[in-house]
Amino acid sequence: MSSGPFVRISYNEVSVDHPEAFQILAAPLWKSDWYKLFAVPNSTYNSLTSECDPKKYATMRSNLASGFSGSSVMKSEPFMDKTIQLLEQRLDELSQQKKPFEFGLWLHFLTWDIMGEVMFSTRVGFLDQGRDIGNSIKNNFGLALYVTSTAYAQWLHALLLSNPILRWLDFQPKELSAIWAPVATRKESLRLYPGVPWNLPRVVPRESLTVAGHHFTHGTILSVNPWLIHRNAACFGKDANNYNPKR
């Protein structure tokens, strides 16, 4: 049912086609449950995409904002140019072979390698190897198909990828496991070898603070070291010192 710039596309959802719609996007409003589909491997893990609470989202975004500022992007431009030059080189090599190739796939290789340069300061290796490493691109298409299939059937998502019981039972199909495996391995690697090696000091506020039954007064500095807390057995189990992406 439609009425001017408004189109009802579900029993509780209306599509808005009006200039004031920008105010809706700019306001600190809760996001709909649709975004929870991007909580990989299940609903206990939230990213900027899947987090629906505007306050939590703002906190998560602020932690990443500096890395995506204009100045940071400009610093990454030479590395992007180098990756584009590698693509040109590989395309020249392919053209000399006088054999057909899938140009769109090589653009995917370029995109993933540029993301590697920007986020991890190194190419993933798609262009170097000329193949879909770890079926990452294939799995990404699979995830897109999954999202479009379950976007408006939240109960189905709750039974499948978002179901922590299936993960606990290790009962997920290989295709679904392949989707969250790269995320889990990255998180586990950063847990054991965090990028921040120093303490993270915080000053106790005027209201004072109680931690683990201990009372700290205003002005006290409390620090948390990622290398210690990430290996805390009370947080991560008795095997906290071991590499285990399935934890």
Side-chain angles (χ1 to χ4, degrees):
M1 182 178 66
S2 64
S3 177
F6 303 98
V7 178
R8 182 174 179 176
I9 59 177
S10 180
Y11 75 96
N12 65 342
E13 186 169 352
V14 175
S15 175
V16 181
D17 183 18
H18 190 276
E20 293 186 7
F22 290 106
Q23 298 179 16
I24 299 175
L25 298 176
L29 304 177
W30 276 73
K31 294 190 292 186
S32 72
D33 288 346
W34 179 82
Y35 288 92
K36 294 181 179 179
L37 290 168
F38 297 95
V40 177
N42 56 55
S43 58
T44 60
Y45 298 87
N46 274 323
S47 64
L48 276 172
T49 305
S50 63
E51 180 56 65
C52 296
D53 187 328
K55 292 183 178 179
K56 293 180 179 179
Y57 172 83
T59 300
M60 297 172 68
R61 183 175 179 178
S62 65
N63 293 332
L64 299 173
S66 60
F68 292 90
S69 65
S71 58
S72 295
V73 172
M74 291 300 293
K75 291 179 181 178
S76 301
E77 188 172 356
F79 302 102
M80 298 181 189
D81 291 340
K82 186 177 180 180
T83 306
I84 294 174
Q85 291 171 2
L86 177 59
L87 171 66
E88 294 174 347
Q89 175 186 331
R90 297 309 310 273
L91 293 180
D92 286 340
E93 295 172 356
L94 291 170
S95 63
Q96 292 175 5
Q97 297 176 8
K98 299 185 183 301
K99 294 181 180 179
F101 60 89
E102 189 176 346
F103 182 67
L105 182 60
W106 283 87
L107 291 181
H108 278 292
F109 293 164
L110 171 68
T111 302
W112 282 71
D113 273 347
I114 284 180
M115 287 193 296
E117 284 282 12
V118 173
M119 299 178 67
F120 304 109
S121 300
T122 184
R123 291 194 303 272
V124 181
F126 288 87
L127 290 173
D128 298 276
Q129 300 184 29
R131 65 183 182 89
D132 183 6
I133 299 176
N135 290 324
S136 301
I137 297 174
K138 179 181 178 181
N139 291 334
N140 196 52
F141 280 118
L143 180 60
L145 178 61
Y146 176 86
V147 169
T148 56
S149 301
T150 60
Y152 294 98
Q154 292 289 325
W155 60 270
L156 185 60
H157 176 57
L159 291 175
L160 297 175
L161 194 57
S162 183
N163 190 343
I165 297 179
L166 291 183
R167 180 173 175 234
W168 180 71
L169 295 175
D170 197 21
F171 190 64
Q172 292 178 317
K174 292 182 178 179
E175 291 78 6
L176 295 183
S177 298
I179 291 174
W180 66 262
V183 178
T185 54
R186 184 179 74 243
K187 288 185 175 181
E188 182 68 351
S189 298
L190 290 175
R191 183 188 70 82
L192 283 176
Y193 305 100
V196 180
W198 50 79
N199 290 334
L200 303 176
R202 298 293 186 271
V203 180
V204 175
R206 295 185 180 279
E207 297 79 13
S208 72
L209 191 64
T210 300
V211 180
H214 294 269
H215 182 76
F216 299 93
T217 58
H218 171 59
T220 304
I221 297 178
L222 302 179
S223 295
V224 178
N225 188 297
W227 283 76
L228 291 178
I229 194 66
H230 287 183
R231 296 169 185 263
N232 189 312
C235 299
F236 299 99
K238 295 181 179 179
D239 65 339
N241 286 318
N242 299 332
Y243 179 81
N244 180 14
K246 291 187 176 182
R247 73 173 65 254

mmCIF file of all heavy atoms in Angstrom, residues 38 138-150 179:
data_model
loop_
_atom_site.group_PDB
_atom_site.id
_atom_site.type_symbol
_atom_site.label_atom_id
_atom_site.label_comp_id
_atom_site.label_asym_id
_atom_site.label_seq_id
_atom_site.Cartn_x
_atom_site.Cartn_y
_atom_site.Cartn_z
ATOM 1 N N PHE A 38 23.867 -9.657 10.180
ATOM 2 C CA PHE A 38 25.295 -9.520 9.935
ATOM 3 C C PHE A 38 26.131 -9.798 11.185
ATOM 4 O O PHE A 38 27.336 -9.558 11.187
ATOM 5 C CB PHE A 38 25.602 -8.119 9.409
ATOM 6 C CG PHE A 38 24.959 -7.835 8.084
ATOM 7 C CD1 PHE A 38 23.736 -7.190 8.020
ATOM 8 C CD2 PHE A 38 25.559 -8.235 6.905
ATOM 9 C CE1 PHE A 38 23.130 -6.932 6.800
ATOM 10 C CE2 PHE A 38 24.964 -7.984 5.679
ATOM 11 C CZ PHE A 38 23.747 -7.334 5.626
ATOM 12 N N LYS A 138 33.662 -16.451 -2.782
ATOM 13 C CA LYS A 138 32.533 -17.376 -2.938
ATOM 14 C C LYS A 138 31.668 -17.375 -1.691
ATOM 15 O O LYS A 138 30.434 -17.333 -1.768
ATOM 16 C CB LYS A 138 33.059 -18.782 -3.222
ATOM 17 C CG LYS A 138 31.968 -19.829 -3.377
ATOM 18 C CD LYS A 138 32.560 -21.209 -3.624
ATOM 19 C CE LYS A 138 31.463 -22.266 -3.720
ATOM 20 N NZ LYS A 138 32.035 -23.625 -3.936
ATOM 21 N N ASN A 139 32.315 -17.411 -0.525
ATOM 22 C CA ASN A 139 31.559 -17.409 0.724
ATOM 23 C C ASN A 139 30.822 -16.092 0.928
ATOM 24 O O ASN A 139 29.741 -16.059 1.521
ATOM 25 C CB ASN A 139 32.496 -17.664 1.905
ATOM 26 C CG ASN A 139 33.044 -19.077 1.916
ATOM 27 O OD1 ASN A 139 32.418 -19.989 1.395
ATOM 28 N ND2 ASN A 139 34.219 -19.260 2.483
ATOM 29 N N ASN A 140 31.414 -14.997 0.437
ATOM 30 C CA ASN A 140 30.763 -13.698 0.559
ATOM 31 C C ASN A 140 29.474 -13.659 -0.254
ATOM 32 O O ASN A 140 28.454 -13.117 0.184
ATOM 33 C CB ASN A 140 31.717 -12.597 0.090
ATOM 34 C CG ASN A 140 31.269 -11.226 0.541
ATOM 35 O OD1 ASN A 140 31.011 -10.998 1.711
ATOM 36 N ND2 ASN A 140 31.177 -10.302 -0.403
ATOM 37 N N PHE A 141 29.518 -14.253 -1.445
ATOM 38 C CA PHE A 141 28.301 -14.356 -2.249
ATOM 39 C C PHE A 141 27.278 -15.250 -1.551
ATOM 40 O O PHE A 141 26.070 -14.991 -1.591
ATOM 41 C CB PHE A 141 28.625 -14.914 -3.637
ATOM 42 C CG PHE A 141 29.179 -13.894 -4.586
ATOM 43 C CD1 PHE A 141 30.451 -14.035 -5.112
ATOM 44 C CD2 PHE A 141 28.431 -12.787 -4.961
ATOM 45 C CE1 PHE A 141 30.974 -13.093 -5.984
ATOM 46 C CE2 PHE A 141 28.939 -11.840 -5.831
ATOM 47 C CZ PHE A 141 30.214 -11.991 -6.344
ATOM 48 N N GLY A 142 27.780 -16.317 -0.914
ATOM 49 C CA GLY A 142 26.882 -17.203 -0.180
ATOM 50 C C GLY A 142 26.205 -16.492 0.967
ATOM 51 O O GLY A 142 25.012 -16.686 1.221
ATOM 52 N N LEU A 143 26.964 -15.634 1.659
ATOM 53 C CA LEU A 143 26.383 -14.866 2.759
ATOM 54 C C LEU A 143 25.335 -13.889 2.241
ATOM 55 O O LEU A 143 24.284 -13.697 2.862
ATOM 56 C CB LEU A 143 27.484 -14.116 3.507
ATOM 57 C CG LEU A 143 27.036 -13.268 4.702
ATOM 58 C CD1 LEU A 143 26.346 -14.133 5.748
ATOM 59 C CD2 LEU A 143 28.224 -12.543 5.327
ATOM 60 N N ALA A 144 25.611 -13.268 1.077
ATOM 61 C CA ALA A 144 24.639 -12.339 0.486
ATOM 62 C C ALA A 144 23.346 -13.066 0.139
ATOM 63 O O ALA A 144 22.242 -12.548 0.362
ATOM 64 C CB ALA A 144 25.238 -11.688 -0.757
ATOM 65 N N LEU A 145 23.470 -14.278 -0.396
ATOM 66 C CA LEU A 145 22.284 -15.073 -0.716
ATOM 67 C C LEU A 145 21.522 -15.431 0.549
ATOM 68 O O LEU A 145 20.289 -15.381 0.588
ATOM 69 C CB LEU A 145 22.705 -16.345 -1.463
ATOM 70 C CG LEU A 145 21.583 -17.316 -1.832
ATOM 71 C CD1 LEU A 145 20.575 -16.648 -2.758
ATOM 72 C CD2 LEU A 145 22.157 -18.568 -2.490
ATOM 73 N N TYR A 146 22.270 -15.755 1.597
ATOM 74 C CA TYR A 146 21.645 -16.097 2.874
ATOM 75 C C TYR A 146 20.873 -14.903 3.436
ATOM 76 O O TYR A 146 19.741 -15.036 3.911
ATOM 77 C CB TYR A 146 22.724 -16.544 3.856
ATOM 78 C CG TYR A 146 22.221 -16.836 5.251
ATOM 79 C CD1 TYR A 146 21.717 -18.090 5.578
ATOM 80 C CD2 TYR A 146 22.245 -15.858 6.241
ATOM 81 C CE1 TYR A 146 21.254 -18.368 6.850
ATOM 82 C CE2 TYR A 146 21.782 -16.121 7.518
ATOM 83 C CZ TYR A 146 21.293 -17.375 7.815
ATOM 84 O OH TYR A 146 20.826 -17.636 9.072
ATOM 85 N N VAL A 147 21.492 -13.714 3.370
ATOM 86 C CA VAL A 147 20.861 -12.508 3.910
ATOM 87 C C VAL A 147 19.575 -12.185 3.164
ATOM 88 O O VAL A 147 18.545 -11.876 3.766
ATOM 89 C CB VAL A 147 21.839 -11.317 3.843
ATOM 90 C CG1 VAL A 147 21.117 -10.012 4.146
ATOM 91 C CG2 VAL A 147 22.981 -11.523 4.827
ATOM 92 N N THR A 148 19.626 -12.257 1.831
ATOM 93 C CA THR A 148 18.423 -11.948 1.055
ATOM 94 C C THR A 148 17.322 -12.976 1.288
ATOM 95 O O THR A 148 16.138 -12.666 1.141
ATOM 96 C CB THR A 148 18.753 -11.892 -0.447
ATOM 97 O OG1 THR A 148 19.358 -13.131 -0.854
ATOM 98 C CG2 THR A 148 19.702 -10.755 -0.752
ATOM 99 N N SER A 149 17.705 -14.188 1.671
ATOM 100 C CA SER A 149 16.714 -15.244 1.886
ATOM 101 C C SER A 149 16.073 -15.158 3.264
ATOM 102 O O SER A 149 14.920 -15.552 3.449
ATOM 103 C CB SER A 149 17.366 -16.624 1.714
ATOM 104 O OG SER A 149 17.926 -16.764 0.427
ATOM 105 N N THR A 150 16.815 -14.644 4.240
ATOM 106 C CA THR A 150 16.310 -14.643 5.616
ATOM 107 C C THR A 150 16.029 -13.241 6.154
ATOM 108 O O THR A 150 15.666 -13.100 7.319
ATOM 109 C CB THR A 150 17.321 -15.326 6.556
ATOM 110 O OG1 THR A 150 18.567 -14.609 6.506
ATOM 111 C CG2 THR A 150 17.554 -16.765 6.146
ATOM 112 N N ILE A 179 31.808 -19.242 6.455
ATOM 113 C CA ILE A 179 31.503 -17.818 6.522
ATOM 114 C C ILE A 179 32.082 -17.199 7.783
ATOM 115 O O ILE A 179 32.683 -16.132 7.749
ATOM 116 C CB ILE A 179 29.972 -17.600 6.475
ATOM 117 C CG1 ILE A 179 29.441 -17.977 5.087
ATOM 118 C CG2 ILE A 179 29.622 -16.153 6.797
ATOM 119 C CD1 ILE A 179 27.936 -17.943 5.001
#
